[in-house]
Amino acid sequence: MTVPTDPTAPTVPPMIWANSGDSHLLEPADLFFERMPRALAERMPRSVKDPDGAWETLHIDGNSFRRRLPTRPLTDESGLSQQDKAPGAFDPVQRLKDLDREGIWAELIYPSISMWTSSLTDPDLLREGVRVINDWAMEFQAVSPRFVCTAHLPLLSIPDAVAEVRRTHEMGFRAAFFPVEPPPSQPRFNQDEWEPLWAALEETGLVMAVHIGTEAHDAGVINGQYHRGPGGAVLNYFETSFGGQRIAAQMITSGALDRHPGLRVMISEGGATWGPFLADRMDEGYRQHSSAVRPRLSRLPSEFLFSQVYASFQHDSSAVAAMSAMGWNNVCWGSDYPHIEGTFGHTQKTLAGLFDGADIAVRDRITVGTFEELFPHVPPVPGERLP
Ligand code: MN
């Protein structure tokens, strides 16, 4: 017997499951003190929050600076207060419950406080600190096959970074975190000194996972990119977009991606519509200024971007069109969980808005397929996929 459908019953839209190309773990406050000699632990990045929770002081190897902590947007529809954290922010088991409720499946997971190690200048301290971060992150990843944690690399020494690529690959990492710029004392990423690191990434298959906004803390001040006064907050946010585009262009134009066709670069939290734009600009430079171009590449810069570079976006309403209208298939969604500016509490609403009217194949690629191409070992999302 078939039960007739009640035409007056409210229809609940099915959950849109999505993998996230931009998530974070929050390190326990005592991580370095528990696992390093006190004299070293004291020099690792540490956050001391003001009692009212509005500002924090970051201490990094004898330097300190203040920053205003992000709050949940005034327009947030999650019903959470401006400072409420996701319940699973510090606990990987509780985290899975948060993810199930939000419809987030597998995640590429960056560190949080440890990203400030890009401001360290002592290679020995960095090498030891990075091992602590990675050992702990692997314990976190072991909780669920849905977690894809990024390995930290000690970039103050290229041989140390190569050794840590090999060590973390053996441990089971599938991606390595990169800041958008190397430490200021090191050559830029287009320089040949980095070649052994690119070779090690390709050989191990670790994805080069770049998160925007990860310049050394004084880099913006030095480069004149730090804004104060009218518009400052939005201008500073907007400036963080360019680091991801710059490193993608460096990896392409230097020939690194040409020499290492197995090397793949993910740019997280920087939007995605920039991809086709950057492809055009690089091709024009390569073609119209060809007498000055070196090295020559085996294909146009755009072809490397469209095949070996990936990007994750969070809210950008134009990012779906980077794929549907501009043909860049390597676009991936990201939640930024559990950061307070992410989609926690309204992920389904965000996804429904982004893909309203979008082709189902486009939605499937951006929410699921792109991530699975980078990390085919993760379990499949629940529910029905495209035939
Ligand atoms: Mn993020």
Side-chain angles (χ1 to χ4, degrees):
M1 172 186 140
T2 51
V3 181
T5 314
D6 174 3
T8 61
T11 52
V12 181
M15 177 90 99
I16 302 174
W17 282 98
N19 295 320
S20 167
D22 170 29
S23 295
H24 295 266
L25 49 77
L26 297 180
E27 301 88 334
D30 54 2
L31 174 64
F32 299 114
F33 287 90
E34 284 209 330
R35 301 181 188 219
M36 292 177 89
R38 186 165 189 90
L40 294 180
E42 279 173 344
R43 299 169 59 198
M44 292 301 289
R46 181 163 43 96
S47 160
V48 178
K49 292 184 176 55
D50 288 4
D52 66 1
W55 287 72
E56 70 176 343
T57 306
L58 280 148
H59 300 276
I60 305 169
D61 196 14
N63 295 312
S64 62
F65 63 98
R66 308 249 310 147
R67 71 167 195 146
R68 188 195 290 275
L69 287 165
T71 54
R72 209 168 285 283
L74 296 170
T75 52
D76 190 281
E77 293 159 286
S78 63
L80 295 162
S81 87
Q82 274 205 285
Q83 267 119 20
D84 275 347
K85 281 217 167 18
F90 284 95
D91 175 350
V93 175
Q94 181 66 40
R95 180 186 186 107
L96 289 167
K97 294 179 189 156
D98 284 354
L99 300 184
D100 285 346
R101 220 170 18 245
E102 294 290 309
I104 302 166
W105 187 242
E107 303 178 290
L108 177 62
I109 306 179
Y110 291 92
S112 290
I113 188 79
S114 302
M115 290 207 286
W116 293 103
T117 54
S118 58
S119 298
L120 292 178
T121 55
D122 176 350
D124 297 328
L125 173 65
L126 181 63
R127 184 181 58 242
E128 297 310 310
V130 155
R131 290 178 69 98
V132 168
I133 295 164
N134 290 337
D135 291 350
W136 180 79
M138 184 43 65
E139 292 164 24
F140 191 103
Q141 178 173 292
V143 173
S144 170
R146 291 160 65 180
F147 298 154
V148 182
C149 289
T150 52
H152 234 72
L153 300 178
L155 297 175
L156 287 168
S157 154
I158 294 167
D160 284 354
V162 169
E164 193 64 5
V165 164
R166 300 200 189 291
R167 189 182 83 92
T168 52
H169 172 249
E170 287 284 308
M171 290 167 73
F173 282 94
R174 312 282 182 147
F177 160 65
F178 276 76
V180 291
E181 285 179 0
S185 61
Q186 290 285 52
R188 296 195 129 180
F189 285 133
N190 65 312
Q191 299 294 335
D192 291 338
E193 285 91 331
W194 293 101
E195 182 58 22
L197 186 56
W198 309 150
L201 289 174
E202 183 183 41
E203 190 190 310
T204 56
L206 292 192
V207 171
M208 182 179 185
V210 182
H211 193 285
I212 66 151
T214 45
E215 295 88 350
H217 84 268
D218 56 359
V221 180
I222 290 167
N223 298 339
Q225 291 155 357
Y226 191 77
H227 296 270
R228 291 181 191 283
V234 177
L235 291 169
N236 287 329
Y237 186 79
F238 156 81
E239 289 286 359
T240 65
S241 320
F242 297 119
Q245 301 171 32
R246 205 171 280 127
I247 189 172
Q250 288 169 343
M251 295 301 290
I252 294 167
T253 58
S254 68
L257 296 189
D258 196 1
R259 291 189 298 278
H260 302 286
L263 177 53
R264 291 167 305 169
V265 183
M266 165 68 128
I267 310 290
S268 293
E269 215 185 313
T273 327
W274 58 267
F277 162 81
L278 186 64
D280 281 344
R281 300 302 302 162
M282 287 190 297
D283 280 1
E284 183 168 74
Y286 188 81
R287 188 181 60 235
Q288 305 303 110
H289 296 269
S290 56
S291 60
V293 168
R294 69 176 176 85
R296 303 300 301 171
L297 304 174
S298 64
R299 294 184 289 160
L300 281 172
S302 58
E303 294 177 62
F304 295 103
L305 189 137
F306 277 71
S307 58
Q308 285 166 264
V309 179
Y310 295 72
S312 88
F313 72 97
Q314 193 175 187
H315 295 115
D316 309 41
S317 54
S318 69
V320 175
M323 181 185 167
S324 60
M326 303 182 207
W328 190 23
N329 283 325
N330 296 346
V331 179
C332 175
W333 182 77
S335 67
D336 210 24
Y337 177 93
H339 283 177
I340 215 156
E341 62 270 49
T343 65
F344 179 73
H346 54 85
T347 302
Q348 287 302 306
K349 198 164 188 172
T350 299
L351 289 170
L354 283 167
F355 297 106
D356 182 26
D359 187 281
I360 189 80
V362 168
R363 186 182 102 180
D364 186 74
R365 173 76 187 175
I366 293 175
T367 53
V368 180
T370 301
F371 189 98
E372 287 186 340
E373 184 171 291
L374 286 170
F375 306 109
H377 70 285
V378 298
V381 295
E384 301 241 341
R385 288 284 301 280
L386 283 174

